[in-house]
């Protein structure tokens, strides 16, 4: 009886699974097999262990859970026979990965097998270690691997070389141990060893500058000679691919030369001859040859300048671009992106061809070409290129529209020679693909329009025309609605007519019709409708003849099922009916929007004026600065009940932003009892209280451009008549307050302000592990030494993204701690970004005791929960 | 810093029907990520038309794929890797499979999936190329196969000895 042929064999199981007609049948077969395997595992069955593992691997590949087989891998690896070990290692690599603790148990077996007398077993161990080693294992087993680099059999040496790459990537400090053995691999004749040795040297150069210097000094000539030998070698059947001897070795040598030549003129000089030879003599009619040429071009571009070689390289790319093979064209485009940094003029020569590639039927090529065109644009060619791209936008397929739109918008914004051209191009893009543009794009457009006062009439008429043609592109509708609301009178009276314009006759009621369409259209979203409602409200005073109709439309929305619209409608109709005295002031045209504020915010930092604006409530660019208390009086008069003034003031502040009202003249007759000074004091107080105040410090005029959430609070405040005014502003849903925080770029703005005011403390690396760093920046408000504001910045030091990031802190009783929400709960890998979170600590024993804090950081990486804890005792003493 | 690392992040073999025939992960992916990768990529690659280029840009990485009969061979690399070389590596692997199985077909790879893995392990370690000679690869796998055969016979005979003893 042969144990390898009894029971359900692997083959039978696969056959049974393949015979299943439905997924349910397959599940049943798998369940039965799994049950049998589990039973065998429980009985500690030895004879069929390896067959069971093979079955499990197949089941694993089908996507079923197989974790219960993990220990079986370890048992097989620990057994003595080669067949068991072979399947055991395969299972280890397949079923486990480096994050599983089970892996730690295998280190010992690996160590034994690395020293085994059977070289195939050594090979298995090296392969497994190379594929799944963790940093700990790498550290433990590095000496064994290093020794195997000198093993007698070349097949082991090459495996050990690749294994070493894994080790130095996991633990870069070990690099110097591998430097010398690696350089001796470069002298080998065996191609496998040579390939892996070159690769190891390349990776060593990347982790250690010492290695880089060493190889530069000692190995360049040898490498050049090896490359020359291989390039000139006669036909050798074992390594021949399409008439070239070992293209893989070619490519790896070129890569290593690239690293060695970059930034070193002497080294670059040594390799010019051979690079020229490879670039000019390699056959380019097969893929293998092109792969070498491609690598050679990249090396020529990266090493120190040699004019002649670069011409050769750009010519090769030119040939690539005109190749019929899509793969070659693709890599040609890809490499031209790098070439553009070196020689932009030469790349410009291929512009026409590249533009053709944007229109290719292959999405990968389109994308590459578009990226390249984007880099090719400059002031002198922006007009024709934009024209081409917009024309193409009309015919491009849906998936590509988003990409191409984003690129056009960014180009137009960056290189626009004139405002009118910018507006024209943006209107074209929006009417073609408005649904694909991001909010920032149409926000930016509105700001430009607002600043181009001589073009207001032209723009609103142009927008009206395209709006009449189609309401399909929502962001276009939004811009149109906003402009009609602001500049409706110019639309009707043909103000500021330009020579190039065709005259257009729009009556007041036509304009109102358009807004009604926007409100009633089913397809359009809430934000658009809310904007249309505001536009109508504004038009009500601009078009007296239509005011009754406007009132009707607004009233109709009182029954809207959408709370936002209902609320606005109630508020607006109330103003229209009862408060004529302030209406005209409320609906005045918005002051010119501040470009600097907007771009500042877009870039992620607020201009100082805004973050410190709690004191100057209005920093409108046109210079109207007015005390916050003025609007309070008005609103209080409106509400005619005794709501506390302070919270309302914030609303007033917003109101200015929202509606662009200049209320200061109106405040004089209203005889408010609040002096401007006390008003600001109240605001200041508010600022030091809770989490909402940041909202109040926002006085930027762009708020209306943000989504409806942001508008909600101020509008709610207007609703003073309903006597819950003071609450409604602050009690808007968490979503809206989050939106408002967002306005200020999260909590960062608060600290920024405090940093300006308070004494300076050095920042502190409060916690650091191998995977995470947390730094604290301290600031205090003058006059309040007890309270410290801490901005914590978290940086991810590992190559894996952290999700569900949560920071917690605890303090002893004499301290009070307040944590603001973090800027994000996802921490990008390798320090490519950070999370910030603000803490406020009040030290009741200030001057006697210093701060102390215990922290806990939890996150998920690679699907595994990680918890890091620590205590911080090294706070600056006087906090 | 220029990129000179050719690391392959993973190797996938997917049939035209979307069935997974081989997966090898050289970079760390959680179980969830793995199935997501498989789902997304088979969606992208299987739907691409013929005569398009063999590269797909996907989540900031590049997937080089090539179809052989009913199987798609896919390898994922960093965006600045050498795509043409990866095509050669794929072809290298296919040629070795072909030599080993003798005109390989999908069924060979289903019933002998572990062999396909053994061969891949002789070509790539940690996502780096190990051997450019097909003959060396085939020889090494064959040598290990014969070790297994030898062990089998030995075990077979010992067990039949035991049975023979017990029967006595």
């Amino acid at each position: 009886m042969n144990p390898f042929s009894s029971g359900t064999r692997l083959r039978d199981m696969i056959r049974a699974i393949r015979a299943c007609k439905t997924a349910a049948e397959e599940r049943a077969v798998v369940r039965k097999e799994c049950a049998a395997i589990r039973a065998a595992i429980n009985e500690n069955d030895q004879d069929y262990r390896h067959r069971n593992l093979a079955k499990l691997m197949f089941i694993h590949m089908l996507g079923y859970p197989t974790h219960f087989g993990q220990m079986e891998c370890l048992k097989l690896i620990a057994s003595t026979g080669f067949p068991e070990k072979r399947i055991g290692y395969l299972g280890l690599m397949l079923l486990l990965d480096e994050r599983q603790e089970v892996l730690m148990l295998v280190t010992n077996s690996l160590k034994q097998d690395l020293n085994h007398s059977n070289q195939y077993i050594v090979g298995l161990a090296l392969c497994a270690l190379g594929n799944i080693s963790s940093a700990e294992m790498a550290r433990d087993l590095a000496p064994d691997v290093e020794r195997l680099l000198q093993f007698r059999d070349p097949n082991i040496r090459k495996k050990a070389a690749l294994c070493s790459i894994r080790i130095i990537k996991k633990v870069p400090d070990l690099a110097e141990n591998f430097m010398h053995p690696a350089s001796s691999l470069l002298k080998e004749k065996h191609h496998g060893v040579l390939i892996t040795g070159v690769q190891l040297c390349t990776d060593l150069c990347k982790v250690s500058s010492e290695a880089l210097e060493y190889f530069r000094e000692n190995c360049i000539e040898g490498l050049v000679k090896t490359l020359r030998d291989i390039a000139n070698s006669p036909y050798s059947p074992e390594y021949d691919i399409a008439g070239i001897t070992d293209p893989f070795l070619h490519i790896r040598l070129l890569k290593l030369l690239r690293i060695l030549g970059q930034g070193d003129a002497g080294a670059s000089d040594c390799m010019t001859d051979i690079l020229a030879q490879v670039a000019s003599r390699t056959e380019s009619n097969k893929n293998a040859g092109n792969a070498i040429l491609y690598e050679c071009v990249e090396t020529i571009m990266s090493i120190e300048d040699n004019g002649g070689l670069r011409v050769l390289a750009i010519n090769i790319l030119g040939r690539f671009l005109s190749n019929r093979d899509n793969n070659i064209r693709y890599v040609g485009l890809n490499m031209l992106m790098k070439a553009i940094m070196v020689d932009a003029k030469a790349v410009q020569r291929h512009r026409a061809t590249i533009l053709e590639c944007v229109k290719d039927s292959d999405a990968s090529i389109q994308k590459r070409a578009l990226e390249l065109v984007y880099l090719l644009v400059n002031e002198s060619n922006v007009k024709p290129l934009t024209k081409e791209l917009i024309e193409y936008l009309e015919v491009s397929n849906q998936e590509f529209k988003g990409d191409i739109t984003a690129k056009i918008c960014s180009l137009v914004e960056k290189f626009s020679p004139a405002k009118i051209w910018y507006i024209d191009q943006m209107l074209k893009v929006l009417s073609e693909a408005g649904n694909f543009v991001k909010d920032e794009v149409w926000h930016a457009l509105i700001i430009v329009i607002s600043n181009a006062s001589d073009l207001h009439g032209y723009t609103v008429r142009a927008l009206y025309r395209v709006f009449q043609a189609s309401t399909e592109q929502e962001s276009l509708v939004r811009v149109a609605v906003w402009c009609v609301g602001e500049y409706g009178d110019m639309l009707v009276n043909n103000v500021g007519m330009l020579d190039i314009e065709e005259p257009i006759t729009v009556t007041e009621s036509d304009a109102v019709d358009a807004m009604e369409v926007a409100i009633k259209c089913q397809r359009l979203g809430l934000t658009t409708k809310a904007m249309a409602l505001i536009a109508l409200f504004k038009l009500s005073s601009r078009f007296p003849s239509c005011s009754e109709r406007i009132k009707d439309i607004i009233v109709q929305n009182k029954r809207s099922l959408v709370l936002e619209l209902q609320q606005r409608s109630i508020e607006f109709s109330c103003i229209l009916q009862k408060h004529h005295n302030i209406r005209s002031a409320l609906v005045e045209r918005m002051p010119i929007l501040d470009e600097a504020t907007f771009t500042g915010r877009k870039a992620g930092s607020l201009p100082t004026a805004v973050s410190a604006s709690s004191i100057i409530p209005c920093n409108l660019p046109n210079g109207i600065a007015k005390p916050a208390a003025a609007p309070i009086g008005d609103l209080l008069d409106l509400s005619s009940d005794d709501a506390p003034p302070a919270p309302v003031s914030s609303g007033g502040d917003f109101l200015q932003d929202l509606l662009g009202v200049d209320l200061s003249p109106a405040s004089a007759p209203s005889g408010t009892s609040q002096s401007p000074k006390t008003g600001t004091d109240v605001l200041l107080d508010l600022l030091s209280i809770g989490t909402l105040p940041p909202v109040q410090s926002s006085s930027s005029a762009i708020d209306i451009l943000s989504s409806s959430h942001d508008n909600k609070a101020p509008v709610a405040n207007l609703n003073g008549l309903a006597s819950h005014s003071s609450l409604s502003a602050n009690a808007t849903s968490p979503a809206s307050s989050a939106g408002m925080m967002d306005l200020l770029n999260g909590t960062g703005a608060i600290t920024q302000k405090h940093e300006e005011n308070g004494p300076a403390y050095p920042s502190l690396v409060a916690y650091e592990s191998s995977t995470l760093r947390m730094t604290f920046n301290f600031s205090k408000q003058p006059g309040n030494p007890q309270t410290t504001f801490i901005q914590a910045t978290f940086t991810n030091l590992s190559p894996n993204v952290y999700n569900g990031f949560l920071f917690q802190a605890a303090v002893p009783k004499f301290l009070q701690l307040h944590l603001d929400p973090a800027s994000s709960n996802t921490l990008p890998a390798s320090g490519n970004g950070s999370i910030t979170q603000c803490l406020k600590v009040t030290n009741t024993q200030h001057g006697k005791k210093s701060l102390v804090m215990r922290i806990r950081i939890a996150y998920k990486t690679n699907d595994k929960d990680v918890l890091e804890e620590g205590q911080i005792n090294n706070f600056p003493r006087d906090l | 810093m220029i990129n000179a690392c050719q690391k392959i992040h993973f190797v996938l073999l997917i049939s035209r029907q979307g069935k997974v025939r081989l997966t090898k992960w050289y970079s760390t992916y959680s179980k969830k990520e793995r199935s997501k990768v498989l789902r997304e990529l088979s969606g992208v690659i299987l739907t691409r038309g013929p005569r398009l280029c063999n590269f797909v840009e996907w989540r900031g990485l590049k997937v080089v794929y090539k179809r052989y009969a009913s199987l798609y061979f896919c390898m994922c690399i960093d965006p600045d890797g050498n795509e043409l070389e990866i095509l050669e590596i794929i072809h290298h692997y296919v040629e070795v499979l072909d030599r080993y199985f003798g005109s390989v077909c999908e069924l060979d790879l289903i019933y002998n999936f572990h062999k396909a893995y053994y061969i891949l392990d002789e070509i790539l370690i940690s996502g780096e190329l190990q051997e450019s000679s097909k003959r060396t690869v085939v020889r090494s796998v064959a040598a290990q196969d014969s070790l297994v055969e030898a062990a089998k016979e030995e075990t077979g005979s010992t067990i039949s000895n035991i049975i023979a003893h017990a029967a006595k």
Side-chain angles (χ1 to χ4, degrees), chain B residues 37-55:
Chain B
V37 168
L38 282 168
R39 210 172 40 242
E40 280 184 20
L41 275 183
S42 42
V44 175
I45 289 171
L46 300 182
T47 52
R48 267 174 77 85
R51 279 201 300 282
L52 299 182
C53 72
N54 294 77
F55 318 127

Side-chain angles (χ1 to χ4, degrees), chain A residues 272 276 279 300 304-315:
Chain A
T272 40
I300 291 173
E304 290 315 294
D305 192 23
N306 177 313
L309 271 184
R310 292 210 166 148
V311 171
L312 198 59
I314 302 256
N315 285 343

Side-chain angles (χ1 to χ4, degrees), chain B residues 72-87:
Chain B
Y72 285 84
F73 288 69
C74 318
M75 294 189 180
C76 174
I77 51 169
D78 284 322
D80 39 7
N82 187 334
E83 301 90 346
L84 299 180
E85 194 208 359
I86 298 297
L87 278 177

Side-chain angles (χ1 to χ4, degrees), chain A residues 738-756:
Chain A
M740 290 182 252
M741 299 287 275
D742 214 3
L743 269 179
L744 280 177
N745 278 313
T747 44
I750 309 172
T751 34
Q752 189 184 342
K753 189 191 70 199
H754 292 306
E755 274 163 17
E756 282 155 20

